[in-house]
Amino acid sequence: MHIRDWPSNERPREKLLARGAAVLSDAELLAIFLGSGLRGRDAVATARDLLTAHGPLRTLLERDPAGLAELPGLGPARASRLAAALELCGRYLAAGLERGEALTDPQAAGRYFAQRLRGHRHEVFAALFLDTRHRALAFEELFHGTVDGAEVHPREVVRRALAHNAAALIVGHNHPSGCSEPSAADRAVTVQLKQALALVDVRLLDHLVVGDGAPVSLAARGWV
């Protein structure tokens, strides 16, 4: 049965328009992007096949455009459009920060760090430097490690904060394993950073851990 023959409340496009994109499954969202499926398969079935064989969604979308183009149901044209859509999402998330708007929503910082760090296959520790009104000054990847961790040097973080004349900063790192639960080492380095930055009158606002799903805020847990 073609998707157009489904009940209207089950069709991905109609569901999105009526109830919003958040209610759709990964396969349904991907199906809307595909538009049509492989011969004998509708778009949703094709999307499910892609996610089963090459997913989950994060793994599929972390492929480079050339790798996406090789997958059945995508090809060069759809792979290019998908890569462009992902880049648009990243630029959208960064747009408010780049306009110099105050960072008043903690979740906005989480989305920004997730967009910048989630695709790395090794651990990366980064900092978002802010002025006195919590407007973004700069974002820097400070330390690169392995799949298991990255060594963080508080002295270097302090040096970069002073170089940007920052009044505050948010730090974050990714867990390539996908598990965003902070480790004991994550909590320990947060304490060290907060103490080192306080000596030069710079506030550490949060430490975010990026994995699968929403980033985990150590500040929200009372650990900053």
Side-chain angles (χ1 to χ4, degrees), residues 2 10 25 30 35 40 56 61 71 118 125 143-144 183 215 220-221:
H2 194 278
E10 295 181 10
S25 68
L30 187 57
L61 297 184
L71 302 183
R118 185 169 281 155
F125 185 95
F143 309 107
H144 294 75
S183 66
R221 296 192 179 185

Side-chain angles (χ1 to χ4, degrees), residues 12 16 20-35 44 47 51 57 82:
L16 185 149
V23 304
L24 272 63
S25 68
D26 291 348
E28 289 172 325
L29 288 169
L30 187 57
I32 290 177
F33 175 82
L34 294 175
V44 174
L51 292 169
L57 186 64
L82 184 54

Side-chain angles (χ1 to χ4, degrees), residues 123-127 141-145 149-158 169 171-174 183 185-194 196-197 204 207:
E123 191 164 303
V124 176
F125 185 95
E141 294 182 0
L142 297 175
F143 309 107
H144 294 75
E151 187 174 359
V152 177
H153 302 281
R155 179 177 178 178
E156 178 64 13
V157 178
V158 171
L169 70 155
V171 299
H173 72 282
N174 64 313
S183 66
D186 295 337
R187 295 181 62 178
V189 79
T190 302
V191 173
Q192 294 169 8
L193 286 171
K194 183 176 181 179
L197 289 163
L204 178 64
H207 183 174

